[in-house]
Amino acid sequence: MKFIYQSWWKILGVILVFYTMIAGFLLPVPKLPLLHETIRNVYFHVPMWMGMLVVFGISVVYSIKYLATSREEYDLVAVESVNTGIFFYALGLVSGMLWAKFTWGEYWSSDPKQNSAAIAFLLYCAYLVLRNAIDEDQKRARISAIYNIFAFPIMIVLLFILPRMTDSLHPGNGGNPAFGRYDMDNNMRAVLYPAFIGWILISVWIATLRYRIRLIENKQNSI
Amino acid sequence: MTKKLIFIAILLAANFVASAQGVEMADQLRGSGNIYVVVATIAIVFVGIAIYLFAIDKRLSKLEKNKD
């Protein structure tokens, strides 16, 4: 894991996000009813979820690695990735609520996408509660790693599969086409994809910072 | 049959009217140049956050060096 101490990918992430913050406002977007200029939210709301997905994915990988090797550091990677993921989750949820207020009419309209997003949020909060409930280090690491491995696919089903099987206001669900198919043009893609990569790199960066702090704390506690 | 035709005609007309009205965008804000103020503000905020993150990273690296 040498790369977490290198800075080239951190600089790349910053440059990409910086670019999207300028191009995202200045490049033309399709003129659509209801959405108007808020379609630019796609550049900032969706990447939060991409960042969340990647750090949660990393935490699953390290939970599996922990179960295979019982190395304590892997457990620390898993927790701090989940912590970072929950932060980006909250950002995605709140930015989505604000957007919904102006396009769907309410902050929370009990839409299937919103409801299952809330359930999946609780799923990951339960991971942190579970960790705090177990005192013994190895037992805590083992049980929470297993929980984490199961939580990830359930989160994917709740966020990306179940809402698609019913009618939802959110694009990409039910009878509602995704942005990609009809509403997005190549101008938007030129901003959206760099935004994905940039925000993913930044979320991974924050997760590595948390992990490094945790490592130092862990060392101090064990002395 | 005529009812259906009339219905289709109304639908098409409604569609035409809807598209003719156009969609309201922030063209005025863009036209007056004020959008650049918003972009500059966001750019400043993000550069600040990025510098802050790099500073945390540097401090951590120092701590890690002292440890070993």
Side-chain angles (χ1 to χ4, degrees), chain A residues 49-123:
Chain A
W49 297 101
M50 292 299 145
M52 172 221 74
L53 275 180
V54 169
V55 285
F56 278 169
I58 290 172
S59 92
V60 170
V61 170
Y62 278 89
S63 283
I64 294 170
K65 277 177 118 169
Y66 175 79
L67 289 178
T69 61
S70 293
R71 279 186 60 182
E72 199 185 5
E73 299 94 82
Y74 292 159
D75 180 51
L76 299 182
V77 176
V79 205
E80 290 303 348
S81 299
V82 167
N83 277 330
T84 313
I86 285 176
F87 176 67
F88 277 84
Y89 203 113
L91 289 179
L93 212 54
V94 172
S95 63
M97 279 171 69
L98 181 70
W99 197 3
K101 174 68 184 166
F102 293 95
T103 47
W104 303 350
E106 292 293 332
Y107 289 110
W108 200 272
S109 35
S110 284
D111 185 76
K113 189 85 159 185
Q114 288 180 321
N115 281 346
S116 46
I119 298 168
F121 187 73
L122 294 179
L123 191 70

